[in-house]
Amino acid sequence: MNKFFSVKDITDLNTLVKEAIALKKAPLQNQHLGKGKTIGLVFLNSSLRTRLSTQKAAQNLGLHTIILNANQEAWTWEFEDGAIMNGNTIEHVKDAANVLSQYCDIIGIRCFAGLTNKEEDVSEKVYSLFEKYAKVPLVSLESATLHPFQSLADCITIAEHLPINKKPKVVLSWAPHIKPIPHAVGNSFAQWMQKADYDFVITHPEGYELDPQFTGGVTIEYNQEKALENADFVYVKNWSSFKNYGKLIPVEEDWLLTNEKLKGSNNAKIMHCLPVRRNVEISDEVLDSENALVYQQANNRTYAAQIVLQKILENHE
Ligand code: CP
């Protein structure tokens, strides 16, 4: 492996998930791979899980870690090639990526969708520019459209809780939120669930369709109750409208996930990438129940990152 941006960068999901699960028993066995090497983690947006789990994964592999909170600690970056930089931007991403590549053997970058310019977000303008100028392997810590480490951790979590002798029914259920949220987690989960070949359904109010480039072929059910019938896993996530880009469209029905809503499910396990707005997206009773897997997902972020970084290090020994 030489980069990690999406599900397209992996070949065999089942094997990768099994290898990640195996790491839990002996997380420090490959410390030699990262010895004397450095990973740089660049954050243009906030993070708890991604920041700490990727650091932990790197340290398990013997890597040194450097964190750059680019929006708070670095010079303001310019993202237009050919820009006459006589305004507020101070350092071109071309120069930043080149310099970081001298300090780091692998770089991770988090760059969310701005939700104001659909074309820029869909084209992954920031991630693509950084990738163009970086001279070392690049991994996504969540980009404008995708969140692959999260999705791999989600696949690991589902694999650890599979029903016996049955292809699981997995439902991605849209949730309410107080402000517009990017589409990356939903898009990414849709991609990875298709790769996993589970019985996968997305439910959301009309007008909240995700980008069809990630959901093409997936069953969309606008009736949440119907979608949740016989579900083995319910993945709850908010996203803003894609069609009416980055906007909140008013929704009349109550999409908060409660125990009452789950009555028709197959005693479903509940998933969310976190952070979660309690009692807005999911009720306390559901989040605090035995069926909630949210902390297991967060724990698996370490092993998702570790198996990917391990593959990249092995490729550059
Ligand atoms: N799920 C996730 O990516 O969490 P953070 O935003 O805290 O990194």
Side-chain angles (χ1 to χ4, degrees), residues 113-116 121 144 174-187 204-211 237-249 251:
L115 294 182
T116 52
D121 289 346
W174 181 89
H177 208 283
I178 60 159
K179 62 177 191 172
I181 298 291
H183 311 91
V185 171
N187 287 340
H204 56 69
E206 287 191 50
Y208 279 96
E209 291 76 12
L210 288 164
D211 184 344
K237 185 72 184 89
N238 170 267
W239 57 86
S240 54
S241 174
F242 179 70
K243 192 174 171 193
N244 193 356
Y245 193 64
K247 297 285 184 286
L248 292 183
I249 305 168
V251 174

Side-chain angles (χ1 to χ4, degrees), residues 24 37 43 56 71 73 113 148-149 151 171 177 190 244 259 272-273 299 311 316:
K24 291 184 170 186
K37 295 188 175 179
F43 288 89
K56 184 165 179 186
N71 277 347
E73 299 168 348
F149 276 143
S151 301
V171 179
H177 208 283
N244 193 356
N259 276 341
H272 189 290
C273 63
N299 186 41
K311 300 273 174 209
H316 289 82

Side-chain angles (χ1 to χ4, degrees), residues 46-51 110 142 147 150 273-275 301:
S46 304
S47 168
L48 186 156
R49 279 143 291 272
T50 305
R51 176 190 307 273
R110 167 167 278 203
E142 186 171 342
H147 196 358
Q150 181 64 55
C273 63
L274 303 182
R301 289 293 306 273

Side-chain angles (χ1 to χ4, degrees), residues 181-200:
I181 298 291
H183 311 91
V185 171
N187 287 340
S188 199
F189 190 68
Q191 268 196 333
W192 288 71
M193 286 302 100
Q194 288 173 89
K195 181 93 171 178
D197 197 26
Y198 294 146
D199 177 8
F200 181 53

